[in-house]
Amino acid sequence: MHHSQNRPAIDALQECILACEHCATACLQEEDVKMMARCIMLDRDCADICRLTMTLLARGSEHGKHLLRECMEVCEACAVECGKHHHDHCQECATACRRCVEACKSLAA
Amino acid sequence: MHHSQNRPAIDALQECILACEHCATACLQEEDVKMMARCIMLDRDCADICRLTMTLLARGSEHGKHLLRECMEVCEACAVECGKHHHDHCQECATACRRCVEACKSLAA
Amino acid sequence: MHHSQNRPAIDALQECILACEHCATACLQEEDVKMMARCIMLDRDCADICRLTMTLLARGSEHGKHLLRECMEVCEACAVECGKHHHDHCQECATACRRCVEACKSLAA
Amino acid sequence: MHHSQNRPAIDALQECILACEHCATACLQEEDVKMMARCIMLDRDCADICRLTMTLLARGSEHGKHLLRECMEVCEACAVECGKHHHDHCQECATACRRCVEACKSLAA
């Protein structure tokens, strides 16, 4: 397929999106939701920005690579915030975000 | 434009999306976030379902009308939940959701 | 993760989205674009409807399952149209759409 | 509402999205689709990038403003391409894209 050179980034973006969507929902079900507010906000933004980046890379758009820097920035911010919380969904999300940063960095290079 | 007969629904969907996105963020900043958890969850779903419905109607897709029923259902659920809270952003969101239900109902008829 | 029972459908939806996005772009680069017009239109709709369905399933939303029927319908239509064309990207897209129908059917059951 | 200072940009983004979605569909129905291939490709990208930008601005995200530059770039490219074609849908789309560039520029300032 056309997007084969983009595939590692696409796969990392997909795992990041799934982790963020799940983390936001799981945060909303935690006992102390207030403490998770910034985590939920970043999960929302990170999932949406990764989703557009993935879409543009999948379609071989010239604009896909333009989004990589912003994508890495929001993934980094989300990883830092999720990393502060001990919940499994937060730790898994932090890991997925960090892997996504690495995959985007490789593609941008 | 091609989508002129869809325009009232498109406008109502747009106002509903804006109200839901704003309400979710504002709920996350409230003192008692835990009480707003279901509101935030429905705001997320409602915004996303309305966004796709609007997109399909704007492009004149045969699949746009297929989403109207599900769109009305999530708007109705979101209006009921938001209607329980006295915050301005919740009351405004409930109103936008109810107007969206009416506009979708007219288009579906 | 929370969405583990949804994972086979999520994976099939993802492959379907990638195939549709790629197919639309590749169709636009074919010699006879006019013949591919309906294929491009359905690729667009199918990718967007699958993307929302995947998002809702990933977040464990009660509305995810509501979209499965419409999702299967657009995947089926896209598979039929893509199946008419001999291009590799069309044949691959038809296959991905049919697998997605099966995965959605299993989840809906 | 929270996003009131963003409202002019949100409205311009919305008109741009509607014009791009409509233009892509209308281009696919033209006699000479091949000539419209790049227009359709840019309409797709422009609609999707504007949609995410609008979403982030509507939710008051700190990442909304980060997308403005890329949004202006794709709107500019789409306006240039659409401006080459005499079809009403292309001319209307070019106008909407240019207005969107201006609104994003004001917000970014």
Side-chain angles (χ1 to χ4, degrees):
Chain A
M1 280 207 226
H2 214 211
H3 52 64
S4 57
Q5 76 274 37
N6 295 340
R7 192 67 206 229
I10 286 173
D11 289 344
L13 285 158
Q14 168 72 345
E15 290 309 313
C16 188
I17 293 164
L18 298 182
C20 285
E21 293 287 358
H22 172 65
C23 185
T25 300
C27 283
L28 287 168
Q29 294 163 348
E30 291 295 341
E31 201 49 49
D32 191 352
V33 192
K34 194 169 178 56
M35 204 174 66
M36 312 311 296
R38 183 163 160 75
C39 193
I40 297 165
M41 188 70 189
L42 279 163
D43 283 337
R44 265 204 307 163
D45 286 357
C46 190
D48 286 339
I49 293 170
C50 287
R51 192 148 33 228
L52 176 63
T53 307
M54 189 176 76
T55 299
L56 295 175
L57 292 178
R59 72 172 64 144
S61 163
E62 62 203 76
H63 296 279
K65 291 212 171 179
H66 300 192
L67 282 178
L68 290 174
R69 215 182 56 161
E70 174 59 18
C71 197
M72 285 186 268
E73 193 176 311
V74 74
C75 285
E76 187 60 45
C78 194
V80 168
E81 180 61 27
C82 280
K84 292 178 190 166
H85 306 288
H86 69 280
H87 308 301
D88 283 354
H89 54 83
C90 287
Q91 291 297 320
E92 286 165 11
C93 191
T95 301
C97 285
R98 282 198 202 96
R99 283 189 188 143
C100 192
V101 172
E102 292 312 310
C104 289
K105 205 177 286 178
S106 297
L107 186 60
Chain B
M1 279 206 225
H2 214 211
H3 51 63
S4 57
Q5 77 275 35
N6 295 339
R7 191 68 207 228
I10 286 172
D11 289 344
L13 285 158
Q14 167 72 343
E15 290 308 314
C16 188
I17 293 163
L18 298 182
C20 285
E21 292 287 358
H22 172 65
C23 185
T25 299
C27 282
L28 286 169
Q29 294 163 347
E30 290 294 341
E31 202 48 49
D32 190 353
V33 190
K34 196 171 177 54
M35 204 174 65
M36 313 310 296
R38 184 163 159 75
C39 193
I40 296 166
M41 188 70 188
L42 280 163
D43 283 337
R44 266 204 307 164
D45 287 356
C46 191
D48 286 339
I49 293 170
C50 286
R51 193 148 32 229
L52 176 64
T53 306
M54 190 176 74
T55 299
L56 295 174
L57 292 178
R59 73 173 61 145
S61 162
E62 61 204 77
H63 296 278
K65 290 211 172 181
H66 300 190
L67 282 178
L68 291 174
R69 215 183 55 160
E70 174 58 17
C71 197
M72 285 187 267
E73 193 175 311
V74 73
C75 284
E76 186 60 43
C78 194
V80 167
E81 180 61 28
C82 280
K84 292 178 189 167
H85 306 287
H86 70 279
H87 308 300
D88 283 353
H89 53 85
C90 287
Q91 291 296 319
E92 286 165 11
C93 191
T95 301
C97 286
R98 283 199 200 95
R99 283 188 188 144
C100 192
V101 172
E102 291 312 310
C104 289
K105 204 178 285 178
S106 296
L107 186 59
Chain C
M1 280 206 224
H2 213 214
H3 52 64
S4 57
Q5 76 275 35
N6 295 339
R7 192 68 206 229
I10 286 172
D11 289 343
L13 285 158
Q14 168 72 345
E15 290 309 313
C16 187
I17 293 163
L18 298 182
C20 285
E21 292 287 359
H22 172 64
C23 185
T25 299
C27 283
L28 286 168
Q29 294 163 349
E30 291 295 341
E31 203 48 48
D32 190 353
V33 191
K34 196 170 176 57
M35 204 173 66
M36 313 310 297
R38 183 162 160 75
C39 192
I40 297 166
M41 189 70 189
L42 279 163
D43 283 337
R44 266 204 307 165
D45 286 357
C46 190
D48 286 339
I49 293 170
C50 287
R51 193 150 31 231
L52 176 63
T53 306
M54 189 176 76
T55 300
L56 295 175
L57 292 178
R59 75 172 63 145
S61 162
E62 61 203 75
H63 296 278
K65 292 213 171 180
H66 300 191
L67 282 178
L68 290 174
R69 216 182 55 160
E70 174 58 17
C71 197
M72 285 186 266
E73 192 175 312
V74 73
C75 285
E76 187 60 44
C78 194
V80 168
E81 180 60 27
C82 281
K84 292 178 190 168
H85 307 287
H86 70 278
H87 308 300
D88 282 355
H89 54 85
C90 287
Q91 291 297 319
E92 285 165 12
C93 191
T95 302
C97 285
R98 283 199 200 95
R99 283 189 188 143
C100 192
V101 172
E102 291 313 310
C104 289
K105 205 177 284 177
S106 296
L107 187 60
Chain D
M1 280 206 224
H2 215 212
H3 53 64
S4 57
Q5 76 274 37
N6 295 340
R7 192 68 206 227
I10 286 172
D11 289 344
L13 285 158
Q14 167 73 344
E15 290 308 315
C16 188
I17 293 163
L18 299 182
C20 285
E21 292 288 358
H22 172 65
C23 185
T25 299
C27 283
L28 286 169
Q29 294 163 349
E30 291 295 341
E31 202 50 47
D32 191 352
V33 191
K34 195 170 177 55
M35 204 174 66
M36 312 310 296
R38 184 162 159 76
C39 192
I40 296 165
M41 188 68 190
L42 279 163
D43 283 337
R44 265 203 309 163
D45 286 356
C46 191
D48 286 339
I49 293 170
C50 286
R51 192 148 33 229
L52 177 63
T53 306
M54 189 176 76
T55 299
L56 295 175
L57 292 178
R59 76 173 60 146
S61 163
E62 61 204 75
H63 296 278
K65 290 212 171 180
H66 300 192
L67 282 177
L68 290 175
R69 216 182 55 159
E70 174 58 18
C71 198
M72 285 186 267
E73 193 176 310
V74 74
C75 285
E76 187 60 43
C78 195
V80 168
E81 180 61 28
C82 280
K84 292 178 190 168
H85 307 286
H86 69 279
H87 308 300
D88 282 355
H89 53 84
C90 287
Q91 291 297 318
E92 286 166 12
C93 190
T95 301
C97 286
R98 283 200 199 94
R99 282 189 188 143
C100 192
V101 172
E102 291 313 309
C104 289
K105 205 177 285 178
S106 296
L107 187 60

